[in-house]
Amino acid sequence: MDTSGLDETKLIWMYRTMLAIRGFEVRIRELFTEGRIGGLLHSYEGEEAVATGVCAALRPDDLIVSTHRGHGHLIAKGGSLDRMMAELFARETGYCRAKGGSAHMVDVSLGILGANGIVGAGLPIATGAGTAVKLRRTGQVVVCFFGDGASNTGAFHEAVNLASVWTLPIVFVCENNLYAQFVRQELHSKLADLHQRSVGYAMPGCMVDGNDVLAVYEVTTAAVARARAGEGPSLIEAKTYRYTGHAISNPASALGRSVEEVEAWKKRDPIERMARLLSQQGVLTPELDERLHAEIDQAVEASIAFAEASPHPRPEEALEDVYASLPEGARL
Amino acid sequence: MRQISVRDAVNEALAEEMRRDDRVFLLGEDITDPWGGTFGVTRGLSTEFGAERVRETPISEAAIVGCAVGAAMIGMRPVAELMFNDFIGIAMDQLANQAAKLRYMTGGQVNLPLVVRTSAGAGRAAASQHSQSLEGWLVHVPGLKVVMPSTPYDAKGLLRSAIRDPDPVVFIEHKMTYNLKGPVPEGEYEVPLGVADVKRDGRDVTVIAYSFQVHRALVAAERLAREGVEVEVVDPRTLYPLDLATIVESVRKTGRVVIVHEAVERGGFGAELAAQLAAEAFDYLDSPIARVATANTPIPFAPVMESYVLPTEERIMAAVGKVMD
């Protein structure tokens, strides 16, 4: 980790953001276990440094395309905990007015083009966003998050190839957490270091310790600069680890992971590492740390209160928003 | 009035919409000059509008449609081409799970004003994987609109409306109509989505047909007229949203229905139409609804077998005879 060149505000923002993601995701898991929220939920616990380090390198008007494991990206890009929680509680005030749930949250005003329930589907969509910003000459950059599992899809190949041949302003970020759903990476790919696939698309690729938020920030900054300068896409592989199962309803034990493996990764926990570094640098005092933890707890609890106080949607709303417009008299 | 082909009508619609609105751009395989598309529909467009707005893609149907989705999500109006509708399977996730559902899943935060143009139909010995009519797959997906023009006039007017529509529209051209000429006025006009067209008035039987089969139905109608049977040919033009009212009005008049489509009979759009008519127009019917559709087979290569499985004027006339009985 290297904090040189970064001001304190940014460093604290990174730390706080990772705390917010962890706090939110841990609380979600509790709520799910208690039966207060339901549906398919995929936790970002353990991967916080990737979303945070990447989004720290972006302009507010840059765009991100996310995955089914998207709460971390949404929070790091500035998403509202209240509207996220309300969506998970299936209330009117949720991001998707309770129509989408966890894997379909979008906030176009923040440049968040969605979470997606189909593995790999975000990659082609990212090429569209990249094409649009290129045509408009806005200088915006698109970051496309995807996992090691998605890198085996046809959609990945088609999209990355298209981005390469069209020189699109996209940074492809592969969050390699070593498991695609339930399957260990070596059973789904002979290639251990997935960023090497970039060679096949004549684009730069690099690997980074995904649990080192400052390293993620650094490589992303370089890739974003390339894209913004019109030099085209890059592929970043962030090696990281998820503490939970694929969906939080799947026990982590179903992955068949050894205790040693999990413990080794927990020793590299991204939040603890950042806390240690910032304390050493005098940026994070025990008082500040305690205050930040308390703030996050309060914010998460407030989002739950907001959600629970929000109205349920009327059942008939299920028939709304299938189309933006229909002719008079047309029926669904 | 001047007579132009469906090919030229579609070309004109694309050019006029691109001149009018610089959010409109095209993407697809082989669409740039000098080739101008496998059926020549986009000829001249890359020369006029340049490579940025008429974008040549690799053979990547999922990326083609996905690119249209992402661009539409942030306000562009892409018109993506899938060369043959038989390739739609490769793009189906982006079409059915993304384009069709993103507005709904996001609680209305986004709309996707994209058009996917594609070609369908048999009659050219192109065999099973290049001859299908797959509109039935698409009508079954809430969130998509599906248009199948039969004439140059309809093709131009409907494509303009499709491009201006805020929702994803799949615009299916029939390969046997590209050379078909018909009257098309100079100047601007639109044909709205969701409005059917009575192509021929008649009092004895309603033949509902769309796309190329409209022309078969019209030939059959002429032959039947000589036998004293007056056929009313109704062309829905848009399959979803469907103008059921115009169709029901015709059925009220004639009391007899034959549905003609080139899609395979089993689970085809004709089944949906028949069910809707049975619900809405049952009291008007004097006989059961008949369907004339392609046999439940893949399309064979040999011309004699291809014409054997497809609808023909004779089969349409026979079906009319049956419902008139």
Side-chain angles (χ1 to χ4, degrees):
Chain A
M1 283 205 185
D2 176 13
T3 59
S4 62
L6 282 168
D7 64 43
E8 276 192 24
T9 321
K10 189 124 188 160
L11 293 167
I12 295 295
W13 177 87
M14 287 185 187
Y15 180 63
R16 193 182 187 286
T17 299
M18 291 196 286
L19 286 178
I21 298 171
R22 180 70 59 89
F24 189 85
E25 295 291 74
V26 168
R27 198 73 183 90
I28 299 279
R29 198 156 38 78
E30 287 167 8
L31 292 166
F32 182 82
T33 310
E34 292 164 23
R36 290 164 70 188
I37 62 175
L40 299 175
L41 294 160
H42 307 87
S43 178
Y44 204 69
E45 287 166 77
E47 304 187 22
E48 296 84 359
V50 184
T52 303
V54 168
C55 290
L58 299 180
R59 274 181 358 199
D61 67 339
D62 287 331
L63 305 166
I64 67 166
V65 176
S66 172
T67 67
H68 55 285
R69 198 175 301 285
H71 299 163
H73 310 135
L74 194 35
I75 291 170
K77 194 68 169 66
S80 151
L81 297 190
D82 287 354
R83 292 183 69 189
M84 288 172 68
M85 192 63 82
E87 183 66 24
L88 298 177
F89 270 81
R91 304 301 168 106
E92 257 293 340
T93 51
Y95 260 121
C96 306
R97 301 182 58 211
K99 287 268 196 32
S102 167
H104 305 113
M105 294 206 248
V106 160
D107 186 339
V108 180
S109 71
L110 291 176
I112 300 164
L113 301 185
N116 205 299
I118 304 291
V119 172
L123 289 126
I125 292 173
T127 69
T131 301
V133 303
K134 187 166 170 156
L135 282 171
R136 289 172 175 161
R137 292 167 166 70
T138 57
Q140 288 164 284
V141 168
V142 179
V143 165
C144 182
F145 292 101
F146 62 99
D148 47 294
S151 75
N152 292 325
T153 66
F156 164 86
H157 173 65
E158 291 195 23
V160 176
N161 182 60
L162 187 66
S164 165
V165 76
W166 282 4
T167 315
L168 296 178
I170 302 178
V171 179
F172 291 103
V173 178
C174 179
E175 302 177 302
N176 187 349
N177 60 19
L178 304 183
Y179 291 83
Q181 295 170 163
F182 292 92
V183 174
R184 247 193 109 66
Q185 195 200 328
E186 59 250 28
L187 293 179
H188 73 64
S189 172
K190 278 253 157 106
L191 194 64
D193 296 326
L194 297 174
H195 71 280
Q196 291 178 340
R197 284 186 160 141
S198 69
V199 174
Y201 306 101
M203 77 168 74
C206 72
M207 194 162 77
V208 69
D209 175 357
N211 284 15
D212 177 343
V213 68
L214 295 173
V216 173
Y217 172 74
E218 196 182 315
V219 300
T220 307
T221 300
V224 166
R226 280 195 73 245
R228 220 185 289 291
E231 290 161 25
S234 324
L235 177 59
I236 296 171
E237 179 190 5
K239 303 272 198 199
T240 184
Y241 201 72
R242 64 167 137 99
Y243 294 151
T244 62
H246 167 62
I248 62 177
S249 52
N250 317 130
S253 58
L255 293 164
R257 308 194 283 200
S258 69
V259 169
E260 292 76 27
E261 179 184 290
V262 178
E263 289 310 307
W265 276 94
K266 286 203 162 150
K267 287 203 177 81
R268 299 166 54 189
D269 184 274
I271 296 173
E272 282 168 23
R273 286 165 78 179
M274 187 61 160
R276 274 198 301 276
L277 179 74
L278 295 185
S279 313
Q280 278 161 23
Q281 309 238 323
V283 172
L284 184 70
T285 61
E287 295 75 33
L288 178 58
D289 199 13
E290 207 184 299
R291 184 160 63 78
L292 290 172
H293 274 88
E295 269 176 27
I296 296 301
D297 285 345
Q298 275 160 36
V300 174
E301 290 312 309
S303 74
I304 296 173
F306 171 78
E308 291 192 309
S310 292
H312 287 277
R314 289 170 295 110
E316 317 80 75
E317 282 176 45
L319 301 180
E320 293 167 16
D321 286 325
V322 183
Y323 297 95
S325 96
L326 280 178
E328 183 111 20
R331 45 197 210 176
L332 282 179
Chain B
M1 198 185 288
R2 65 185 184 138
Q3 301 264 331
I4 65 170
S5 65
V6 166
R7 170 188 297 105
D8 290 341
V10 173
N11 186 283
E12 279 185 13
L14 292 171
E16 287 169 21
E17 290 303 294
M18 287 179 76
R19 284 175 206 134
R20 178 184 175 272
D21 185 346
D22 54 19
R23 294 171 302 174
V24 180
F25 70 97
L26 311 184
L27 65 157
E29 298 165 20
D30 302 338
I31 62 171
T32 57
D33 292 326
W35 188 231
T38 208
F39 297 105
V41 177
T42 51
R43 204 161 285 149
L45 298 177
S46 65
T47 303
E48 177 175 348
F49 297 101
E52 282 206 342
R53 285 186 74 199
V54 181
R55 303 179 76 86
E56 193 62 58
T57 67
I59 302 172
S60 303
E61 280 75 11
I64 291 169
V65 178
C67 183
V69 170
M73 260 184 110
I74 57 173
M76 301 296 282
R77 291 194 170 246
V79 180
E81 181 182 294
L82 293 184
M83 200 188 283
F84 289 82
N85 78 158
D86 314 67
F87 307 159
I88 224 160
I90 301 146
M92 207 55 171
D93 178 72
Q94 289 295 330
L95 200 46
N97 284 333
Q98 313 301 328
K101 295 178 168 66
L102 276 166
R103 176 177 172 76
Y104 187 84
M105 292 192 300
T106 63
Q109 271 190 71
V110 296
N111 56 282
L112 289 266
L114 63 91
V115 175
V116 174
R117 280 184 48 247
T118 187
S119 76
R124 289 274 196 87
S128 307
Q129 296 171 339
H130 288 73
S131 304
Q132 293 168 94
S133 292
L134 297 174
E135 69 277 7
W137 292 5
L138 305 169
V139 169
H140 193 60
V141 181
L144 296 180
K145 293 177 175 170
V146 183
V147 176
M148 285 186 90
S150 60
T151 64
Y153 179 87
D154 289 343
K156 181 172 179 181
L158 285 165
L159 184 53
R160 299 191 75 160
S161 297
I163 291 170
R164 298 181 195 192
D165 197 281
D167 292 312
V169 180
V170 185
F171 189 87
I172 307 175
E173 301 153 14
H174 196 294
K175 55 175 75 66
M176 296 295 282
T177 67
Y178 282 131
N179 290 328
L180 260 181
K181 286 192 171 174
V184 176
E186 307 268 10
E188 278 216 19
Y189 72 96
E190 267 176 78
V191 173
L193 264 54
V195 178
D197 184 39
V198 178
K199 289 285 197 293
R200 185 187 195 278
D201 284 302
R203 58 164 195 273
D204 294 323
V205 57
T206 299
V207 171
I208 307 162
Y210 54 88
S211 191
F212 180 64
Q213 296 305 318
V214 169
H215 303 284
R216 292 240 186 271
L218 289 170
V219 170
E222 281 308 300
R223 289 167 65 176
L224 285 163
R226 283 177 239 137
E227 296 169 27
V229 176
E230 287 302 327
V231 174
E232 178 146 295
V233 177
V234 182
D235 177 0
R237 302 194 290 191
T238 305
L239 302 186
Y240 189 82
L242 180 69
D243 176 6
L244 190 64
T246 298
I247 299 172
V248 169
E249 199 43 48
S250 174
V251 177
R252 193 161 71 93
K253 182 167 72 166
T254 67
R256 300 163 202 283
V257 178
V258 174
I259 299 169
V260 185
H261 62 58
E262 201 177 298
V264 147
E265 186 180 79
R266 188 199 310 150
F269 182 66
E272 168 66 24
L273 201 41
Q276 288 198 35
L277 287 174
E280 300 296 317
F282 186 74
D283 291 337
Y284 307 144
L285 288 168
D286 295 328
S287 59
I289 297 167
R291 288 181 293 171
V292 178
T294 294
N296 295 325
T297 68
I299 305 288
F301 164 62
V304 294
M305 286 201 283
E306 187 180 45
S307 28
Y308 183 78
V309 298
L310 292 173
T312 59
E313 287 100 24
E314 288 75 24
R315 285 178 59 200
I316 297 171
M317 292 171 70
V320 167
K322 191 142 180 257
V323 304
M324 298 281 300
D325 224 348

